[in-house]
Amino acid sequence: MIRVYILLLLVCSTTFNSYTQELNSKVLVSTEKLQSSEKLLFEEMENSIEQFLNNQIWTDDKFNTQEKINCNFIINITNEPSSNQYEATVQILSSRPIYNSSYETILLNHGDREWIFEYFPSQTIEFVENGFNDNLTSLLSFYAYMIIGIDYDSFEEKGGEESFKLAWKILNTSQNSGYKGWDQFGSRKNRYWICENFLNPEFEKVRKAIYSYHIKGMDNLY
């Protein structure tokens, strides 16, 4: 009986471990422009953000380890207006492997110059689906869905529609927060416009081109 129980545990463990979260994110927090000696705090921030992005389950889809989406968040903190509040410029990149090769193509390479957020020692970053928790959580969640949406578009025609709608939902719940980048009145390159473009029917040809370029083009080269 004990052997059967152990075998069952091993089978279940193998089954559950064969699937994983969607993102394989690498995070770099740079403080070169900031006069601060709190090195351990920023290392903790870096690890906390990376763990949040990689451990959160963003969709109902099952991902094998090798299917995880590679992405990078380079967070360059430029100012600390008040205690535990930070201003930053952030570069977000994601890539997609080409079938039967070691080559990857860049899907997203976007710079966001309007990150303002609070971070406290030992802070837990927790995703809230139907509300605004804090700006850091909203920023990370928004870009997680944008990354997933663009990746899905490259494998299926308009495959990222649901992810873009979830990013739009986060954008809507964040607009009353008072933080920059969430509304249509700022930069034409801000979060509002990047998400609006992907959901706008006028952008549909570009989304279909992303799919054709990868599935009908790059994936057939090797």
Side-chain angles (χ1 to χ4, degrees):
M1 183 65 180
I2 294 176
R3 291 179 62 188
V4 172
Y5 178 69
I6 293 174
L7 180 60
L8 181 60
L9 284 177
L10 289 172
V11 170
C12 290
S13 176
T14 302
T15 301
F16 291 134
N17 288 336
S18 63
Y19 298 111
T20 184
Q21 287 78 12
E22 298 87 348
L23 300 182
N24 178 33
S25 177
K26 302 296 182 185
V27 176
L28 173 65
V29 174
S30 172
T31 59
E32 291 182 1
K33 296 183 179 180
L34 195 66
Q35 293 182 346
S36 175
S37 59
E38 298 181 285
K39 182 179 179 181
L40 292 178
L41 173 65
F42 293 112
E43 288 179 354
E44 177 193 290
M45 179 193 296
E46 187 175 273
N47 292 331
S48 182
I49 291 173
E50 188 169 288
Q51 288 176 16
F52 170 71
L53 289 167
N54 291 337
N55 294 340
Q56 175 67 33
I57 298 175
W58 300 103
T59 72
D60 294 329
D61 297 327
K62 303 296 184 182
F63 275 64
N64 290 316
T65 301
Q66 66 272 19
E67 295 174 331
K68 296 178 77 170
I69 304 167
N70 292 327
C71 56
N72 293 275
F73 285 71
I74 303 170
I75 303 171
N76 183 26
I77 296 179
T78 57
N79 192 24
E80 187 177 0
S82 59
S83 180
N84 300 116
Q85 185 182 62
Y86 304 97
E87 296 177 353
T89 61
V90 182
Q91 197 71 26
I92 303 103
L93 302 100
S94 70
S95 60
R96 171 205 193 276
I98 297 304
Y99 179 71
N100 203 30
S101 79
S102 59
Y103 181 68
E104 291 190 354
T105 60
I106 299 297
L107 287 176
L108 177 65
N109 186 358
H110 178 70
D112 190 331
R113 305 182 66 84
E114 296 182 314
W115 275 44
I116 302 175
F117 62 93
E118 290 76 32
Y119 184 84
F120 299 89
S122 303
Q123 177 177 329
T124 300
I125 305 174
E126 186 174 355
F127 178 65
V128 178
E129 185 174 356
N130 295 310
F132 180 86
N133 190 13
D134 60 81
N135 205 42
L136 179 59
T137 304
S138 292
L139 288 165
L140 297 172
S141 303
F142 172 83
Y143 280 113
Y145 280 121
M146 291 301 300
I147 288 168
I148 293 168
I150 297 171
D151 186 81
Y152 280 21
D153 264 10
S154 76
F155 285 99
E156 180 184 352
E157 197 169 281
K158 295 186 68 178
E161 189 77 5
E162 185 60 30
S163 294
F164 293 137
K165 288 180 179 178
L166 289 169
W168 187 257
K169 183 178 179 181
I170 292 170
L171 185 143
N172 281 330
T173 59
S174 302
Q175 284 185 340
N176 293 327
S177 66
Y179 290 99
K180 294 180 179 179
W182 294 114
D183 59 46
Q184 66 192 86
F185 304 109
S187 167
R188 297 288 292 187
K189 297 180 180 180
N190 70 7
R191 295 180 289 279
Y192 177 92
W193 289 110
I194 185 177
C195 191
E196 192 275 343
N197 284 343
F198 274 96
L199 289 171
N200 193 321
E202 294 183 4
F203 198 75
E204 189 171 307
K205 290 182 179 180
V206 176
R207 293 180 61 186
K208 289 181 178 180
I210 293 172
Y211 166 77
S212 296
Y213 173 78
H214 289 91
I215 293 295
K216 299 179 181 180
M218 296 299 292
D219 283 343
N220 292 309
L221 291 179
Y222 299 93

